[in-house]
Amino acid sequence: MRVLIADEVDKECPARLRAAGFEVSERFDISAEELKKVVGDYEVLIVRSRTKVTQEIIESGKRLRLIGRVGVGLDTIDTKTAEAKGIKVINTPQMSTVAVVELVMSMMLNLVRGVHLANESMKKGLWEKKRFHGTELNGKTLGVVGLGRIGKSVAERAKSFGMKIIVYDVMIDEEAIKRLGAERMATLEDVLRRSDIVTLHVPLLPETKRMINERTLSLMKSGAYLINASRGEVVDCKHLLESLKSGRLAGAALDVYENEPPREPWEKELVALPNVVATPHVGAQTKEAQVLGAITIAENIINAFKPL
Ligand code: NAD
């Protein structure tokens, strides 16, 4: 069984696959053109988000039986074509939960205390003590939109900071809501109207695309903060830029963008705003998450090909 790893994956993955008898090629920077040429030699293709597994690539993969995505989102894989060809697609949705949650907590604290700005000021040799008056998370209301793996863990940690948690999700998980001591809102609009900080943890779906737009942004409390570490297209960032420039929103933290990297002038203006904390889609990038993802994908591939 031949496996092609097309994106950088922790060494635990090839090591475990080789130990189980798979023949593994590691070509971490392979181009789309080259991949199309060689994919026909492999039964298994492993990718992260860099490699787009398009219809063309799947159709060139004459022997392909399985595509493994180290990570959560399957939006970079043409799953319909894969399914039509009987190719299994698996991912590792749990790997990055803790990593994303900890990034979101750091964003929240950064936003309310201006750590990024104070740091920048110190590095310029300044001592602007009076400039950096923040607010506290304690006693504030956190609106969690999407109470799945990441949303629940963010809520859990925010609770320990003394925050009141309100949530909106299309699925109702009463047990989790009770455990978190959270309050469930009937609509997204209710969460936006009542939160001091809103954090988005929904998948990118037709219903969630631009769920934060001109109308819904206008419902947010004046002086509220928005955090998006889900998917860039969940937020209409042109309107987010306007809300931040006008001072209606106090700030935003973003790890994900419609274009990665941002390329339009308005996108560049957005990330350059002083009240925006921006990171380059690094939510899953901790050592622990990468090792967990590599082990999980390898074990799942080994199990998938085990004789019954
Ligand atoms: P999950 O599937 O566990 O949770 C998603 C939740 O959103 C579910 O509870 C679901 O019911 C809810 N939901 C779906 N549609 C909704 C809607 N229209 N309105 C309200 N709620 C809705 O997913 P997760 O693992 O918690 O991941 C959440 C998001 O984080 C995803 O977008 C994922 O792609 C993203 N993510 C980002 C990074 C990063 O590097 N920044 C890393 C991992 C995951």
Side-chain angles (χ1 to χ4, degrees):
M1 202 68 74
R2 275 152 296 183
V3 181
L4 173 62
I5 308 183
D7 290 325
E8 190 159 2
V9 171
D10 188 89
K11 58 184 184 326
E12 278 292 332
C13 172
R16 285 184 188 226
L17 288 171
R18 284 188 184 116
F22 289 78
E23 201 181 292
V24 184
S25 309
E26 294 165 71
R27 300 199 50 192
F28 294 166
D29 291 317
I30 193 166
S31 67
E33 263 319 292
E34 188 58 21
L35 178 59
K36 208 177 99 188
K37 276 190 212 148
V38 303
V39 68
D41 295 337
Y42 298 90
E43 281 78 21
V44 179
L45 173 65
I46 297 179
V47 295
R48 288 184 53 195
S49 58
R50 184 194 70 97
T51 299
K52 311 291 175 245
V53 189
T54 58
Q55 182 177 358
E56 232 185 334
I57 290 189
I58 296 173
E59 280 169 356
S60 307
K62 299 283 180 231
R63 299 164 180 263
L64 267 188
R65 290 174 57 189
L66 189 148
I67 300 169
R69 156 79 161 105
V70 182
V72 184
L74 294 178
D75 42 322
T76 48
I77 299 173
D78 184 343
T79 47
K80 270 203 187 120
T81 305
E83 196 187 337
K85 298 209 156 289
I87 300 167
K88 207 168 165 181
V89 179
I90 60 172
N91 60 349
T92 59
Q94 313 80 354
M95 70 173 269
S96 44
T97 302
V98 174
V100 177
V101 170
E102 292 188 2
L103 179 71
V104 168
M105 292 313 296
S106 81
M107 287 173 147
M108 223 181 280
L109 291 161
N110 245 288
L111 281 173
V112 296
R113 297 303 295 270
V115 179
H116 60 301
L117 298 173
N119 175 58
E120 206 176 272
S121 159
M122 286 290 288
K123 292 198 188 318
K124 285 185 190 147
L126 302 172
W127 184 259
E128 299 182 290
K129 192 170 161 124
K130 286 202 178 107
R131 185 180 154 204
F132 297 110
H133 271 276
T135 54
E136 295 177 3
L137 293 182
N138 185 40
K140 300 294 186 306
T141 299
L142 176 69
V144 179
V145 181
L147 196 68
R149 281 175 292 264
I150 297 174
K152 276 182 203 144
S153 303
V154 166
E156 214 164 75
R157 277 134 179 104
K159 203 178 156 209
S160 72
F161 276 82
M163 298 189 83
K164 176 178 163 48
I165 314 294
I166 62 176
V167 303
Y168 171 67
D169 195 305
V170 283
M171 302 286 284
I172 301 169
D173 185 345
E174 289 295 359
E175 202 203 300
I177 291 170
K178 201 166 151 203
R179 183 171 46 81
L180 292 165
E183 194 183 336
R184 184 168 69 79
M185 300 286 112
T187 64
L188 168 68
E189 285 76 1
D190 290 338
V191 169
L192 300 178
R193 282 193 193 98
R194 290 182 47 183
S195 304
D196 299 300
I197 302 178
V198 173
T199 185
L200 305 171
H201 301 294
V202 290
L204 178 61
L205 301 168
E207 312 84 73
T208 58
K209 189 169 178 176
R210 306 230 161 123
M211 76 192 305
I212 302 298
N213 51 40
E214 187 175 15
R215 183 186 69 81
T216 50
L217 279 166
S218 74
L219 302 174
M220 287 180 71
K221 269 188 181 178
S222 179
Y225 295 93
L226 179 73
I227 301 176
N228 186 19
S230 63
R231 282 291 177 264
E233 286 143 301
V234 172
V235 179
D236 181 338
C237 279
K238 256 190 191 164
H239 288 290
L240 174 64
L241 173 66
E242 291 315 314
S243 307
L244 290 164
K245 274 168 59 179
S246 70
R248 241 193 63 73
L249 291 192
L254 306 169
D255 184 47
V256 288
Y257 309 86
E258 193 162 337
N259 294 308
E260 295 188 358
R263 57 165 186 249
E264 302 295 334
W266 60 268
E267 289 180 292
K268 292 184 180 170
E269 188 183 352
L270 176 66
V271 298
L273 287 180
N275 54 348
V276 169
V277 173
T279 49
H281 201 154
V282 294
Q285 280 181 206
T286 62
K287 175 74 186 151
E288 293 85 345
Q290 295 311 315
V291 171
L292 180 62
I295 293 175
T296 310
I297 205 82
E299 295 299 332
N300 289 348
I301 291 170
I302 294 165
N303 284 335
F305 289 105
K306 248 190 196 149
L308 290 175

